[in-house]
Every structure is written in C-alpha cells, then in structure tokens.
Amino acid sequence: MTAIRTTCPYCGVGCGVLMTPDGQGGAQVKGDPDHPANFGRLCSKGTALGETLGVDGRVLSPLIGGVPATWNAALDLVADRFGAAIRHHGPDSVAFYLSGQMLTEDYYVANKLIKGYMGTANVDTNSRLCMASSVAAHRRAFGADTVPGTYEDLDEADLVVLVGSNLAWCHPVLYQRLVAAKKARGTKVVVVDPRRTATCDIADLHLSLAPGSDAVLFNALLVALADRNGVDHDYVAQHVDGFDAALAAARATDPTLTGLSDSQLATFCDWFTSTQRVVTVYSQGINQSESGTDKVNAILNCHLATGRIGRPGMGPFSVTGQPNAMGGREVGGLANMLACHLDVEDPSHRAAVQGFWHSPTLPEASGLKAVDMFRAVAERRIKALWIIHTNPAVSMPDADAVASAIKGCDFVVVSDITQTDTTRLADVILPATAWGEKSGTVTNSDRTISRQRPFLAAPGQARDDWRMIADVAARMGWEDAFGWETAAQVFAEYAALSGIAGGLGRDFDISALADADYDALPPTRWPVSTRQKGGRFFGRGGFFTPNARARMLPIIPRGLASKTAAAYPFRLNTGRVRDHWHTMTRTALAPRLNQHIAEPFLEIHPEDAAQLGLAHATLARVCSPQGQAILRVSITDRVQRYHVFAPMHWTADTAPMGRVDTLVAAVTDPVSGQPESKGAYVAVSALNPAWYGFAVSVGAQNPDATYWARARHSGGWRCEMAGIEPPSDWETFARALFNLPDAACLSVEDSVRGTHRLALMEGGRTLAALFIAPDPVLLARGHLAAAVGQKGSGLLAGRPDAGVADPGPMVCVCLNVGLNTITAAITAQNLKSVDDIGAALQAGTSCGSCRPDLAALLTQRLEAAE
C-alpha cells in the first residue's frame, strides 16, 4: 500500500513520518526523509508508533453516566447543560480545558465557540503547564509570542547553550541534530541543569547550578557582556529599549547565588562573550517555575544586548513539549489570547476578530488560567466544564485536589480516545478520533506547519473534535457560524483570519495558505505572507511592540530562598524519561517502550540515601503537604544533595502510588500563570515493606498491594509489587491477581530465605508466574516476559538455563539490545567507543536516544578497569 505522509504525535519537534497501512488496522512506520524537522530520523517513541495503534481500550461510543448513548443524546445534553449554566450563572460559569495534542483546526473551533459565542475567555490548555512562561516573556520582550529562530540555527551555531533542557531524552531528534553539528563543525555545548542528565554526554561544560538560579546566571552573563565589550551597541541603539535598567538590575545580582565556582562562571561568560554564533535552547527547566517568565527574559536580555537574534546560528530558542503547543498558542488557546496572536484585552483586536466571526460577543478580559480554573471548579464557580484530550487529574499540580474538584463539578464532559483518571470523573464521555484517524495541522517548535493525515478508519462511533464542538454549537443556535463540512474549510477560515492579524501589524500571517491545496500542503514555516517569509525574526529589528523596539527588562531574581523545613527537607524536581510521554496513554501501549524504565522511581544522592537508610531498588515513601507517593529508589550522584528527581508519567492505571503530581503544590508564576513543577518540598523515608513481588502473565492482572506498577510486554503483562502485610495465602493471592481460579498451581517455597515462587498453568503452558521475596526480587525479567505462555514451568528458576544468554534490561529499545549483551561485548571485543558498540551490536544506530546510556556503560567499564 502507499505510504501516507503525516506528523508524529509526540513532542514539539514535529517529525515527519511515513505510515504504510497493513490492511489489518496496523501500519509500518518510517521517518520521512523529506521533512525538514527530522530528515528521516525518529526517536524510540516515534519508531514504536505502529505498536500503539488498534482499538484496545478505546472509547467507541458516547457514554452518559458510564452507559452507552447515542451521539444525539450526548450532544443534546452537553448543549443543554452549557446553555443552562450560561443563562442562570453567566458566561463565566463555563470553561474549556484543552490540550497541545489537539489539532489546530480543533483548537480554532473550540476557541471560536467559547470566546466568540459563549462569551467567556475561560479556556486554557495544558500548554499552560509547558510553555506559558515563554509566551509571557516573548510578549514582554518582543510584543508578540514570536519564536525568532529555526532548527537550522542548531546546524550553524558555534556555541549551543542548553538550559533546563534534557534534549537527549525529551527531544531526541534535535539532540541527534546537535550531535551531528558538533561532529561536523566542533560546536561547543554548555548544559545548564542542576541534575546531570543524559544530555551532559555531549557537554563541553556542565553547569550544575543551584536550582532556581538561572536568572542569576544570565544576569551575571549580561554584566560580563557589558564589561567585556560583548554588547552590540548599534543594535541596541536602533532596536532595543531598557538596556540600562536591565544592566543595573544584573549588576545588583550576586552571582555566587548560582553555587557555581568562579572558574565555571568565567568559562561560561568567556565562551558566550567571544562566540558570535550562539543559540540558547531552553525548555521546561526554565518555564516550570514560579519565576519562569523572568528567567526567560533574562535569557532574552543577553541575546538582545548582543544582537545575536534572528540571524543564522544565533538566538534564543524555546523548544516545546507537545506536538501542537505552538498551534494552540497561534489560535488563542490560552485564556489571555485571541486567535492569530491577537490580545483579548486590546479593543482593536477584539473588534477585528468579532467582525470577522460576526459573533454576538467577545470577552473583554482574560479568563481563568489552568490552576485558577480548577480552583474555580473546586469553589463551584464553574458549573460546566469540557476537557479535551488531556488528563488533569494526573498532570495538574496538586493532582488529588484537581481530581476532587472535577468530581464535584455540576457537569463535566470529556472528549478522549481511552478511559483515563479524568474520564472516570466525567458525566459525559465523547469518543474522539485518534492520531492516524483524523485530519488537520500542527505547528512545531520552529513555526513549521505540518499536516496530520489519516491512514486508518475511525473505529466505532469516534468523531473528530472539531466536528463534535461544531455540533454542540449548532444545538446552541449557532449553526451558520459552525457549518464547515471538512477540516480544510476550518483551516481556510483560520488562515484568512490571520490576514486580518497581519493587517494589524502582528507576526502571525498565513493568509496565503487560505486557498492552498490542503490535502497536498507541504511542511510550511510561517510567516508565509510577508517579506520575512519562512525565515527568522528580528535580525534587523522589526519587533511587534508599539514602537517596533524590543524591550529588555530589569530582572530581580526571585524564589531563591530555600523553602525546606524540618518536615520537608528535600526539593523535588519532576520531569520525563526517555521512552514515555505525558501520562502514557499512548506509549504504555508499546511493549518495547516499557522495557527501558517500567516503573516510577526517585533519584536520590548517595549521602542522603545512606542517612535515610535507603538501599538501591528498595521503595521510598515521598510526602508533601499535598499528597504522597511510593517510588523505587535509584541512588545516584546525578542529583545534588537534598534534591530528588521523579518522573511524572504514571497514573492510577499503571502505578496508583506513583502519581508524582500529587506532591506538587499549585504555586504559579505571577505573570504567566505557569505552575512551579520543579520545586516542590518533600519528605523521604523508607517504606520497609514486608514483601516484594514480581508478576508476569499472558492475561491482564488485578494487583492489590501497597505498591504496584504494571506494564505491557510483548507476550502480556508484568507487574512490580510490594506490601506492608503479607497475604494469608500466596496461592489465593496469585489466583486473584491473575484471575485464574481454576488453573493448576505449582509453587516453590524457601522458608529459610522467605521466598515464594508460583506458576499457574493450563494445558502444560505457564500462563502466569509470581515471585515473592523479603527484599527486591532479583530476576531476569526480560527472560521471564519472553518465556511466559510457553510449555513447561522452567521459568520458575527466574533466569535462563545454563548456556542460554540473558540480554538483561533493555538499553536500545529500537533494536532490542540489552544491558548484559552490551557489557559482555565491551569486555570480549574491547569496544572503546559508542560507535564501536554500534558497529558490533547495532545499538545506538537507529534513533540514537540510547547513546548517552552506552557512553555511561563505557565509562563504568573504564573505571572498573582502573
């Protein structure tokens, strides 16, 4: 069959993919060699997209109160309840909470309905948790939410500074692009991050600064630029306001607050000052802060002062976390924005949009941002809430309180493709089409608009998001304004509106695409209708402020004082892992993506672990004033003392005690409204369970334990468990766990060691096995996952037979190369580089995401040899 060109649904890199349907509901995946974002490269997640297709777990019909219903009944109810709330309580009694995973067309229709027709700006998006501080800083400095640079700048820079960005794991294709540039032209790389991440593998300098002190660092850099003749005074004089005040604030900042040595600061400032082509890439480590906007502006100040912006290999670069976070910003998906980068609170902008839409109303003030929105839900001020393609009961800070608020709301509708922690709280669930089934556009981090094209039929009664929103609008009396028949018509209207914005002097103008061949639309970087067509912004000024000059801001660093207390002495940093994304509703479906890291964990410094009596691979209880979690202990010097790290992916379906955002307080940046997700304060203690367990099975599992974390493998399911109290009978426990009441049970007990091993069998095949021990269970987990379902009970040994190799935990998930295979080859073949490993085993030669792990294994081998 013919390959379909579409766009990856994961991060903001926006990689092109070629999907070839197999005619049976699946498809083969290849990177698109012609797409400018990736030129054929894919990361481990993109490579595994074919494993995430299918209807398993999908919501296939509308549900009202958990009971299947018709579309007419569901949509009538949604329209009636939103209409009643507006009539009785006013327009600000309703709200939409959207997602960076929505397509631009879906986003546009949602914003048109709630702002232009319902009359409220209470619409926000999970991008508020991701990039809102960048948006706010761009608007303060540039007058618009404009990303100045392009991916080509990474190819052309001589120095790349990565700030709060674990590019190797969170944006692997961009990381590989940077690796290639470093190899080709000797690009220097500085990583600014309190934690030593995989990205540090290519760092020429790692600045492990004090958490939260990023603005201090860039203030120190601004001073150095001024003192060492690094300022481009001509550019500043022609295009920038506020230089003197920004520099005065920087001089008043104490650089020792970074915790860096004088030599580290000097080296960083020397490199930046003496290098013309500098790109500063920043991401969640900067944005997810109670002072994130100021941190971004501190970075922008340095690029504005030097004029290193909007020219090849120069500029600040915000890389986004979601596939259409940029598209959502462009259509006004945030509570303080209108479509096409227009402002809710600007009368001329409101008049232009309202006139274009012929809408009855537009709000005159910004609406509730995400954290405030869910507070309003908790206070019962929001009477009707529509959540689309996001899981706030897991991903919002203070997640338990958010879940409670949603549960208590008068009326909640959720549009999604599967059941989640959030859908289970809804009055109405609307089944949406998924990636691969729907048609639309997304915008990536460097302003490139790409098509998502369908290559599979929609299952059951699933419906496109824009269509169900328009159907509700029609039922509320606005059919004429929402009468599109295709996504292409939605896009054409949106593109035409951008021409109005362009006429008002705004940055976003794609009006030349209004009449384009939508089906054939190639990847297109905006703007497409001005002299800056497809290129960079601000190299020659032309900012979007009233006087067309950029604004440098005086930055007084905030939030540096430690908020630890005797009860909560650790600062918690949250983030992502290499092979999972968000709350794993897609990645958890791919068995190979569960092999690298299969459960939530807590990184803690060795000295802190020793003080707390924590051993590696045991379990820790982590508590904050908001909630608690139980996490697997990983003892490492990647984190500083009194600082811990945990990933945020796990949910009630995958690890109910691993929901990390239950620990995070709902503290926000006062400018952007973005929550501080990197600075919760927690207590850590040993859990000390009575037993640890590992379970593997062909069929589904129903774990019941103090702690459990389950994941798919290629032949079924696996589960890590632990309990404070042991059950009275392990066989009864195992039968309930695996739902195999009639299977034959073979058990082995070692009363001296306190271990139990049970296999449940039917027809001579082992359908499930359970391993119990008083300490973390040491087993060849990959071998067990491969062996379950086969004849015999040999897997109770917990490891392969003599002479059979155990590949060990998976390192390279693309090519299925395990830890034991790699370490054995390093020794036996005297491999001395990552390229040597690739030549011998192919590991690291596909997406390259595992190359930092391979480098770490080589380092360990060299250290052991010494």
Side-chain angles (χ1 to χ4, degrees), residues 126-200:
N126 61 9
S127 298
R128 181 69 61 186
L129 316 182
C130 173
M131 303 307 299
S133 293
S134 285
V135 175
H138 288 162
R139 296 178 71 199
R140 292 204 299 187
F142 307 149
D145 177 22
T146 311
V147 175
T150 69
Y151 291 160
E152 288 84 358
D153 290 327
L154 296 176
D155 306 329
E156 301 178 51
D158 294 317
L159 173 65
V160 174
V161 183
L162 300 168
V163 193
S165 171
N166 186 8
L167 208 67
W169 278 20
C170 299
H171 301 90
V173 169
L174 287 187
Y175 174 77
Q176 289 306 318
R177 191 164 185 159
L178 180 56
V179 169
K182 183 176 179 66
K183 186 174 182 179
R185 57 183 290 125
T187 308
K188 284 184 178 178
V189 177
V190 177
V191 173
V192 181
D193 198 313
R195 179 171 166 255
R196 191 177 74 249
T197 67
T199 305
C200 293

Side-chain angles (χ1 to χ4, degrees), residues 667-851:
V667 176
T668 61
D669 180 293
V671 180
S672 69
Q674 180 157 359
E676 166 72 85
S677 297
K678 306 288 187 183
Y681 289 90
V682 300
V684 180
S685 61
L687 181 66
N688 296 322
W691 60 272
Y692 289 86
F694 176 74
V696 61
S697 62
V698 172
Q701 301 172 358
N702 303 295
D704 182 13
T706 307
Y707 168 85
W708 59 264
R710 65 182 169 193
R712 292 175 188 260
H713 63 79
S714 57
W717 293 86
R718 55 179 285 180
C719 187
E720 304 284 350
M721 294 180 290
I724 297 298
E725 296 289 340
S728 58
D729 179 73
W730 285 111
E731 181 177 333
T732 301
F733 178 87
R735 292 186 183 280
L737 169 64
F738 300 121
N739 194 26
L740 293 171
D742 301 320
C745 181
L746 177 65
S747 65
V748 178
E749 178 182 354
D750 186 330
S751 58
V752 174
R753 292 185 174 87
T755 63
H756 303 264
R757 300 186 176 199
L758 302 92
L760 296 181
M761 306 178 68
E762 287 183 359
R765 295 172 61 233
T766 300
L767 300 183
L770 175 64
F771 301 83
I772 301 296
D775 299 306
V777 185
L778 298 177
L779 298 163
R781 284 163 167 76
H783 161 71
L784 294 174
V788 71
Q790 297 180 8
K791 290 281 188 178
S793 59
L795 84 172
L796 279 184
R799 62 193 71 257
D801 294 336
V804 178
D806 171 20
M810 203 55 58
V811 176
C812 177
V813 301
C814 294
L815 297 168
N816 292 312
V817 187
L819 173 66
N820 296 346
T821 303
I822 295 166
T823 54
I826 290 173
T827 301
Q829 301 180 43
N830 195 30
L831 306 179
K832 295 183 178 180
S833 70
V834 172
D835 289 339
D836 287 347
I837 296 174
L841 303 172
Q842 299 300 301
T845 62
S846 181
C847 81
S849 301
C850 64
R851 290 177 67 90

Side-chain angles (χ1 to χ4, degrees), residues 291-429:
S291 58
T293 306
D294 283 352
K295 291 177 181 178
V296 176
N297 279 118
I299 294 170
L300 302 185
N301 281 350
C302 294
H303 281 274
L304 291 171
T306 56
R308 295 173 190 166
I309 186 170
R311 291 187 284 163
M314 303 182 211
F317 204 148
S318 158
V319 290
T320 52
Q322 295 193 83
N324 204 29
M326 287 282 283
R329 289 149 63 175
E330 291 159 8
V331 302
L334 297 169
N336 54 325
M337 299 288 291
L338 290 174
C340 306
H341 288 184
L342 298 174
D343 296 333
V344 167
E345 298 183 358
D346 186 309
S348 65
H349 291 185
R350 290 198 307 272
V353 174
Q354 188 171 359
F356 181 85
W357 281 345
H358 304 292
S359 64
T361 184
L362 267 184
E364 296 183 0
S366 298
L368 296 171
K369 299 170 185 175
V371 169
D372 291 333
M373 179 185 292
F374 285 102
R375 284 185 181 139
V377 173
E379 294 164 3
R380 311 298 290 271
R381 290 186 284 127
I382 300 295
K383 305 296 182 181
L385 174 66
W386 195 339
I387 300 169
I388 304 179
H389 289 303
T390 186
N391 195 7
V394 174
S395 58
M396 284 290 294
D398 201 0
D400 284 344
V402 169
S404 178
I406 296 170
K407 185 176 181 180
C409 187
D410 288 0
F411 182 72
V412 176
V413 55
V414 178
S415 303
D416 216 323
I417 65 172
T418 60
Q419 290 280 10
T420 68
D421 296 45
T422 300
T423 62
R424 295 186 183 97
L425 305 171
D427 299 287
V428 176
I429 302 174

Side-chain angles (χ1 to χ4, degrees), residues 231-254:
V231 174
D232 185 335
H233 292 286
D234 289 340
Y235 186 88
V236 170
Q238 293 175 34
H239 304 302
V240 180
D241 289 334
F243 174 82
D244 291 339
L247 180 59
R251 290 195 186 282
T253 303
D254 181 3

